[in-house]
Amino acid sequence: MSANCSRSSACSANGSEEELQVELEAFGNLELVFSVVSAVMMGLIMFSLGCSVDIRKLWLHIRRPWGIAVGLICQFGLMPLIAYLLTISFSLKPVQAIAVLIMGCCPGGTISNIFTFWVDGDMDLSISMTTCSTLAALGMMPLCLYLYTWSWNLEQSLTVPYQNIGITLVCLTVPVAFGVYVNYRWSKQSKVILKIGAVIGGALLLVVAVAGVVLAKGSWKSDISLLTISFIFPLIGHVTGFLLALLTHQSWQRCRTISLETGAQNIQMCVTMLQLSFTAKQLVQMFSFPLAYGLFQLLDGFVIIAAYQIYKRRLRNKHRQENPGCAKACQKMQITSPQETSIFLEMNEEATETPGPSGVLALHRLSSQQESLHVTRRD
């Protein structure tokens, strides 16, 4: 009997080791796919999205960084606090809790830039926020992790992936700089590149989501608490980011942008930090969380985009029904200079967000300002 028991225990031990090896191999394949796809996706998408950046507006955000400051408060103030409260509320194991906290301390991901484009957000603010949060992560990540884990008595010392942060900064700034230059020199061609890049970016996001589900189907057997947190965490980030932007009197366009930037985290950076700080056995209990978070943040983003597009279409149809002359007036207006273009965009957003008499007044102001611009040009 004892021999049988020893053999059975040996078999169970071998079985667990084999399962561990299979899970780690699947994790390695998943990481390789995510790394390659995310690197290609980041370069191409950030180049195309850089074509939407106006140098003057970007410089305005840098000179008066109120929107960037609110975004950084959301990124390194709200998100780590939310992560810490979630770990306490769900009574997670220490290994699982640290994975959630690391995710909350990560900077914003480039996925938020794609979402911002599809909800007509402030692309200049979105890209500057992603860049600034990645740069600030060099100091804010270790500071936040120290503040929230000093009472946890962790056996392992957490290793901040400075090299990964540097690579992310290069992948952000270089393609965006090329995109800004293309937009400055060839504005018409940049619009085509922007649309193509946004479509390709959305398709790549779907590919990443499907690949994650297929390659890591075994990881969905993890603790239900982790899956629940991975589902509600990005949602809470979106809502709290929007509310804080609203309380600080940001425009509706900036509120949408800050909301998406807050809930979308850099998944690859979280995975890299977990690999650098923990053993293979511990990783098996942890890597399912960043994967699930990434998939749920994709799902949340698609739902937000769909809801916004439906709302935008209904608002446009309602505006056309209430003011049938406005559409004809807009079609008759000819925009020839960058100054007129900026005025048209501002007035068109105001007219769209406030349908009715105020929208008509906005269009009247647009036409009068156009006339004054034409007079100035003739003089």
Side-chain angles (χ1 to χ4, degrees), residues 5-17:
C5 290
S6 62
R7 281 197 295 268
S8 62
S9 60
C11 291
S12 61
N14 293 333
S16 62
E17 289 179 2

Side-chain angles (χ1 to χ4, degrees), residues 358-373:
S358 59
V360 178
L361 290 175
L363 290 172
H364 282 308
R365 288 201 300 273
L366 171 60
S367 59
S368 64
Q369 290 188 19
Q370 280 189 310
E371 291 178 1
S372 64
L373 285 171

